[in-house]
Amino acid sequence: MKRFSSVLLLGVLMMVVLIGCGQKSQQDVVDSLDRKLNEMDSYKVNAKMTLETGEEPQRYDVEVWYQKPSYYRVELKNASKEQSQIILRNDEGVFVLTPALNKSFRFQSDWPENGSQAYLYNTLVQDILNDSTAKFEARDKDYVFTTNTNYQNKNLSKQSITLNKKDLAPEKVSIMNQDMKPLVTIEFSDMKFNASFDKGSFDMERNMTAAQLEVPVIAATNEPFEVVYPMYEPQGTGLTDEKEVSQNKVILSFTGEKSFTLIEEKSEAALETSTPVTMSNGEPIDLGFTMGVMTDTTISWHYDGVDFFLASTDLSMEEMAAVARSVYGKTVIK
């Protein structure tokens, strides 16, 4: 009888230990993420990104490559508009490439360490590690962290990060505004840790050439383009003048308490011999639907066959970014 009781007690203790081992605490998972980030040499991952910030959802295919310590390659594609951009970081700096225009910009920038980046595993993990107030939920097959953010777009204040229990790979990220309404959703697939890369995988010229084989450089045409208006205007400011400089260029003037000018011009591809434009005082800026170039008083970007240039000495950099992100309004054929 005593032997039976001892066996039964041992069995119960083993079950308790096994159950305890199967349930990781928030701190256990955070520690595992910290180790994974330090031990990880590289990765490749694909994703589907959906933006809910405009009149209609905009969907993008995203491919991310990373190699330790600080090589990055992010390709963003909008299939419906044939929009394609590549963001590179290598020993020469940070590059934003637009293959269809044969144009590129080079920055001496801290990107992506200078803020959250929803499609980069590194910064998602870092956001979890940096937020002592993060909420945590353990589900059957995954973990979910809800954290604060550090995005350039201050309207994106919270994010829900879902990680696979098996290898802590990212599954889904939802980024919300202050009302917890999802504005950006990213669904990941085909995550490969410690992936291998060719020698030139992060080379600017090689990436530009390879991308142009898929998306040819656009040819110059005289077709009219659509004028697009910002849906956000600072209070006390409004459109007061619209000047058609040519069939391919329009200048919109907004005056009031915080005046600004928006120039829209049909895009033309650069010559094949063009070299990257070095931005000594500029930074890449994520506008959601495209990557742009920001200085203290300007933002420039390309989207859907049109070059945009926003300038203001009245708007703060955050206000300029808010206006630029809202340029998806009603259109009029010019």
Side-chain angles (χ1 to χ4, degrees):
M1 186 69 178
K2 289 183 179 180
R3 182 180 178 186
F4 177 76
S5 299
S6 299
V7 172
L8 180 62
L9 179 60
L10 180 61
V12 171
L13 289 173
M14 289 181 65
M15 288 179 64
V16 170
V17 171
L18 289 172
I19 293 172
C21 291
Q23 296 296 331
K24 289 189 176 182
S25 69
Q26 179 172 350
Q27 190 59 51
D28 290 335
V29 180
V30 168
D31 291 343
S32 295
L33 285 169
D34 194 10
R35 287 194 299 272
K36 193 170 192 74
L37 195 61
N38 290 323
E39 296 171 359
M40 177 180 66
D41 289 326
S42 61
Y43 67 80
K44 290 181 180 180
V45 67
N46 295 322
K48 300 282 186 182
M49 181 169 68
T50 303
L51 306 181
E52 300 283 357
T53 54
E55 294 176 322
E56 296 181 357
Q58 299 181 66
R59 294 178 174 84
Y60 296 82
D61 292 327
V62 186
E63 183 180 53
V64 180
W65 296 354
Y66 165 76
Q67 182 172 302
K68 204 171 186 177
S70 57
Y71 283 12
Y72 292 88
R73 177 189 181 275
V74 179
E75 184 173 18
L76 301 162
K77 287 183 179 180
N78 182 335
S80 62
K81 295 184 180 294
E82 297 183 352
Q83 177 83 359
S84 174
Q85 280 188 313
I86 297 174
I87 312 163
L88 285 177
R89 178 171 175 173
N90 56 31
D91 292 336
E92 298 176 357
V94 176
F95 297 83
V96 175
L97 314 180
T98 306
L101 297 176
N102 198 33
K103 292 181 180 179
S104 58
F105 292 91
R106 179 171 60 188
F107 307 85
Q108 294 303 318
S109 169
D110 292 332
W111 183 92
E113 279 79 16
N114 55 2
S116 301
Q117 304 292 334
Y119 35 70
L120 296 183
Y121 182 69
N122 316 55
T123 65
L124 290 173
V125 172
Q126 202 62 57
D127 285 344
I128 293 172
L129 299 179
N130 291 341
D131 189 356
S132 61
T133 66
K135 295 181 180 179
F136 173 77
E137 179 186 0
R139 302 194 299 206
D140 288 344
K141 296 183 180 181
D142 48 46
Y143 301 114
V144 181
F145 286 88
T146 302
T147 77
N148 295 315
T149 69
N150 186 29
Y151 292 102
Q152 291 174 319
N153 184 355
K154 299 306 178 183
N155 194 35
L156 303 176
S157 58
K158 290 282 186 179
Q159 62 188 356
S160 171
I161 304 170
T162 303
L163 306 172
N164 189 307
K165 269 188 175 181
K166 184 177 180 180
D167 58 1
L168 299 178
E171 292 183 341
K172 183 178 180 180
V173 175
S174 294
I175 313 172
M176 293 82 72
N177 60 13
Q178 294 179 349
D179 298 325
M180 300 303 287
K181 176 185 176 183
L183 298 181
V184 181
T185 301
I186 303 176
E187 296 179 306
F188 295 89
S189 62
D190 303 323
M191 183 74 174
K192 296 178 182 177
F193 289 109
N194 297 319
S196 59
F197 296 101
D198 296 335
K199 184 177 180 180
S201 295
F202 300 90
D203 178 75
M204 190 280 292
E205 292 184 2
R206 176 173 169 176
N207 274 278
M208 180 69 90
T209 301
Q212 287 173 344
L213 294 176
E214 297 182 11
V215 182
V217 176
I218 62 172
T221 66
N222 292 320
E223 296 177 6
F225 72 99
E226 296 179 333
V227 177
V228 189
Y229 302 89
M231 299 299 287
Y232 166 74
E233 299 169 1
Q235 189 172 3
T237 300
L239 179 64
T240 55
D241 187 48
E242 181 172 334
K243 184 181 296 183
E244 186 175 341
V245 178
S246 67
Q247 186 181 18
N248 294 328
K249 185 176 182 179
V250 172
I251 300 176
L252 306 177
S253 298
F254 295 78
T255 57
E257 295 181 13
K258 296 188 175 183
S259 301
F260 63 91
T261 300
L262 178 62
I263 301 174
E264 304 179 16
E265 185 172 13
K266 190 169 183 183
S267 301
E268 289 187 8
L271 298 175
E272 292 185 5
T273 55
S274 64
T275 56
V277 176
T278 300
M279 303 297 298
S280 57
N281 63 342
E283 281 284 332
I285 178 170
D286 188 350
L287 298 178
F289 52 85
T290 190
M291 291 294 294
V293 177
M294 170 177 269
T295 69
D296 291 343
T297 58
T298 68
I299 300 180
S300 57
W301 70 97
H302 165 78
Y303 184 69
D304 196 20
V306 179
D307 291 329
F308 296 86
F309 182 80
L310 174 66
S312 176
T313 56
D314 294 338
L315 296 176
S316 66
M317 296 176 75
E318 186 173 331
E319 288 171 327
M320 278 198 301
V323 172
R325 290 189 181 99
S326 77
V327 181
Y328 54 77
K330 297 178 181 178
T331 59
V332 179
I333 300 294
K334 297 300 292 182

Short mmCIF file of all heavy atoms in Angstrom, two decimals, residues 171 198 257 274 330 334:
data_model
loop_
_atom_site.label_atom_id
_atom_site.label_comp_id
_atom_site.label_asym_id
_atom_site.label_seq_id
_atom_site.Cartn_x
_atom_site.Cartn_y
_atom_site.Cartn_z
N GLU A 171 4.26 35.82 -36.93
CA GLU A 171 3.11 35.35 -37.69
C GLU A 171 2.25 36.52 -38.17
O GLU A 171 1.82 36.55 -39.31
CB GLU A 171 2.25 34.41 -36.84
CG GLU A 171 2.92 33.09 -36.53
CD GLU A 171 2.01 32.16 -35.74
OE1 GLU A 171 1.03 32.65 -35.13
OE2 GLU A 171 2.28 30.95 -35.72
N ASP A 198 24.19 35.32 -51.16
CA ASP A 198 25.33 35.50 -52.06
C ASP A 198 26.11 36.75 -51.67
O ASP A 198 25.60 37.62 -50.96
CB ASP A 198 24.84 35.64 -53.51
CG ASP A 198 24.17 34.37 -54.00
OD1 ASP A 198 24.48 33.30 -53.46
OD2 ASP A 198 23.33 34.47 -54.92
N GLU A 257 -2.80 79.49 -41.43
CA GLU A 257 -1.93 79.52 -40.26
C GLU A 257 -0.66 78.70 -40.46
O GLU A 257 0.40 79.05 -39.96
CB GLU A 257 -2.69 78.99 -39.04
CG GLU A 257 -3.87 79.87 -38.62
CD GLU A 257 -4.58 79.33 -37.41
OE1 GLU A 257 -4.02 78.42 -36.75
OE2 GLU A 257 -5.68 79.81 -37.10
N SER A 274 22.70 57.22 -64.32
CA SER A 274 22.50 58.01 -63.11
C SER A 274 23.08 57.30 -61.89
O SER A 274 23.08 56.08 -61.79
CB SER A 274 21.02 58.30 -62.88
OG SER A 274 20.32 57.09 -62.65
N LYS A 330 -9.51 62.85 -53.45
CA LYS A 330 -10.23 62.86 -54.71
C LYS A 330 -9.32 63.29 -55.85
O LYS A 330 -8.44 64.12 -55.69
CB LYS A 330 -11.42 63.82 -54.63
CG LYS A 330 -12.46 63.39 -53.59
CD LYS A 330 -13.60 64.40 -53.53
CE LYS A 330 -14.61 63.97 -52.47
NZ LYS A 330 -15.71 64.94 -52.35
N LYS A 334 -6.23 65.85 -65.32
CA LYS A 334 -5.71 67.12 -65.84
C LYS A 334 -5.18 66.89 -67.24
O LYS A 334 -4.64 65.85 -67.55
CB LYS A 334 -4.57 67.62 -64.94
CG LYS A 334 -5.02 67.94 -63.53
CD LYS A 334 -6.09 68.99 -63.43
CE LYS A 334 -5.53 70.35 -63.85
NZ LYS A 334 -6.52 71.43 -63.71
#
